[in-house]
Amino acid sequence: MGFRLSHLSLAVSLVALALAGVAIYRNTYDSMIMNNGSPDFDLLETGAVSILTLNNEKRNSDKDNLSQQLTQESCVFSAVKGVVDSAIDNETRMGASLIRLHFHDCFVDGCDGGILLDDINGTFTGEQTSPPNNNSVRGFEVIAQAKQSVIDTCPNISVSCADILAIAARDSLAKLGGQTYTVALGRSDGTTANFTGALTQLPAPSDNLTVQIQKFSDKNFTVREMVALAGAHTVGFARCATVCVSTNVNPAAQLQCNCSATLTDSDLQQLDTTPAVFDKDYYDNLNNNQGIMFSDQVLTGNTTTADFVTTYSNNVSVFLEDFAAAMIKMGNLPTSAGAQLEIRDVCSRVNPTSVASM
């Protein structure tokens, strides 16, 4: 995002320099004609060489700046990837959690890192304790470690926590077998979060198809993109405390949870038959009426959405391509108009100078 502007600025600068060179050359030529009646070609050649030298020096300088920029980006990507890979090696489920964390951040008022802000007792209530997230979203410690890794290994580079969320989700997808994609840097972090927005904007497991389509349409997603993003449920788990609520679950699903037992947050239900692999099994399950969540299975109840489910079930490559494209689009969801933004030093709290604005 921010880097595209630098490329445009570079092009404009080179054009301006070239025009200036032509003007200098022409003025020198005219001066020679007026003073001597004929041009001094040695002098003109010297002037032309000087202009070419300046152009080359400018071009080399710009190349150096671009190379430095790419090196800085590479450092950031490497620092985050190392932390994410290690976290998933330690617990495969973390990959799905990091993809979900990025989704839950961007879907509420844009990609602003708002979900990372901790509550402050008596002062600030953020998104983490809103019902869709409370005791459910996870991976905060991985993002904090990735942020610290960037600080430690990439000095003098300022990268937002929202950017780190986007990189972590992309790297998690690739680690679990999905298709990688390009993450553009340049997001900023919000100085506040939206408890109510998390409750109203995020898709819920009990949402019918009409509600889901509206929520995705509000974020400018097509129905096809909605069905593709639902495919994130091809990895990871749901809490038994969630699926044991009748309105949240597909009545025909073969659950592993014992819903009559005392449940804890650690009791889990896998979301498809291969929860550690990013594949098309989620869509196969839907076609067999074995989607776990009510909101998943209703995708087969409409001709349009059912056709997309079948397309992805029949061709995993199409699904992976569509999912990657939808993730890029989601990662570029803009922040709310008028939002106060910064680059947070610590992802779980705003910078000291911003405290008064909370």
Side-chain angles (χ1 to χ4, degrees):
M1 294 181 292
F3 300 114
R4 296 173 191 156
L5 294 177
S6 65
H7 295 164
L8 177 60
S9 177
L10 170 59
V12 172
S13 297
L14 290 175
V15 170
L17 189 58
L19 292 174
V22 171
I24 293 172
Y25 187 92
R26 183 62 196 174
N27 289 341
T28 304
Y29 183 92
D30 290 343
S31 177
M32 294 300 98
I33 291 292
M34 292 177 63
N35 292 334
N36 303 319
S38 62
D40 186 333
F41 286 103
D42 288 338
L43 181 57
L44 287 175
E45 182 176 318
T46 301
V49 170
S50 297
I51 292 168
L52 290 174
T53 300
L54 287 173
N55 281 334
N56 287 333
E57 289 177 352
K58 171 65 173 168
R59 191 175 296 112
N60 290 335
S61 175
D62 289 331
K63 285 181 179 179
D64 289 343
N65 290 337
L66 178 59
S67 176
Q68 181 181 10
Q69 186 179 80
L70 294 175
T71 299
Q72 289 176 337
E73 289 184 25
S74 178
C75 180
V76 171
F77 291 137
S78 178
V80 175
K81 185 177 187 299
V83 172
V84 169
D85 284 353
S86 178
I88 297 175
D89 286 340
N90 185 58
E91 182 196 11
T92 304
R93 179 189 170 206
M94 184 55 69
S97 296
L98 291 172
I99 294 171
R100 184 167 181 255
L101 190 60
H102 178 46
F103 180 95
H104 278 228
D105 177 48
C106 291
F107 233 71
V108 181
D109 299 338
C111 303
D112 62 356
I115 198 170
L116 302 175
L117 289 173
D118 289 341
D119 288 0
I120 301 174
N121 190 29
T123 303
F124 170 74
T125 301
E127 296 168 19
Q128 293 181 22
T129 52
S130 188
N133 297 324
N134 195 30
N135 297 319
S136 178
V137 289
R138 58 197 296 271
F140 299 105
E141 72 283 359
V142 178
I143 301 302
Q145 292 166 11
K147 173 73 171 181
Q148 191 60 50
S149 179
V150 170
I151 292 172
D152 292 342
T153 59
C154 310
N156 303 318
I157 302 176
S158 182
V159 178
S160 69
C161 298
D163 275 346
I164 291 174
L165 276 170
I167 300 168
R170 186 272 310 273
D171 291 347
S172 294
L173 175 65
K175 180 81 169 172
L176 297 177
Q179 178 175 304
T180 191
Y181 52 89
T182 299
V183 173
L185 304 182
R187 298 166 189 80
S188 296
D189 300 317
T191 58
T192 189
N194 191 343
F195 178 96
T196 303
L199 184 60
T200 59
Q201 297 176 40
L202 288 169
S206 61
D207 284 348
N208 62 35
L209 192 57
T210 300
V211 172
Q212 290 186 70
I213 291 173
Q214 185 60 58
K215 286 182 177 180
F216 277 85
S217 177
D218 289 344
K219 305 297 179 183
N220 200 32
F221 285 105
T222 66
V223 173
R224 182 177 184 129
E225 290 167 334
M226 179 191 78
V227 177
L229 286 173
H233 282 178
T234 195
V235 287
F237 297 78
R239 295 179 304 147
C240 288
T242 297
V243 299
C244 289
V245 176
S246 61
T247 54
N248 291 342
V249 70
N250 169 21
Q254 297 172 359
L255 298 180
Q256 296 177 334
C257 291
N258 180 1
C259 292
S260 63
T262 301
L263 298 174
T264 68
D265 289 334
S266 60
D267 294 325
L268 301 172
Q269 164 70 48
Q270 63 189 52
L271 288 171
D272 82 351
T273 48
T274 55
V277 182
F278 205 92
D279 54 22
K280 68 181 184 68
D281 282 11
Y282 164 81
Y283 298 104
D284 295 340
N285 293 165
L286 294 186
N287 279 331
N288 292 325
N289 197 26
Q290 285 301 305
I292 299 300
M293 311 307 296
F294 172 81
S295 58
D296 291 331
Q297 193 58 55
V298 295
L299 296 178
T300 62
N302 169 284
T303 301
T304 301
T305 54
D307 284 348
F308 293 138
V309 169
T310 300
T311 295
Y312 295 148
S313 178
N314 290 340
N315 194 326
V316 66
S317 295
V318 174
F319 163 53
L320 296 179
E321 290 173 4
D322 281 6
F323 186 84
M327 286 291 285
I328 293 173
K329 184 173 179 177
M330 188 190 73
N332 290 328
L333 286 177
T335 57
S336 298
Q340 294 184 350
L341 302 170
E342 64 183 9
I343 305 298
R344 279 189 227 132
D345 299 328
V346 177
C347 291
S348 60
R349 63 176 185 267
V350 299
N351 295 337
T353 55
S354 303
V355 171
S357 67
M358 291 182 58

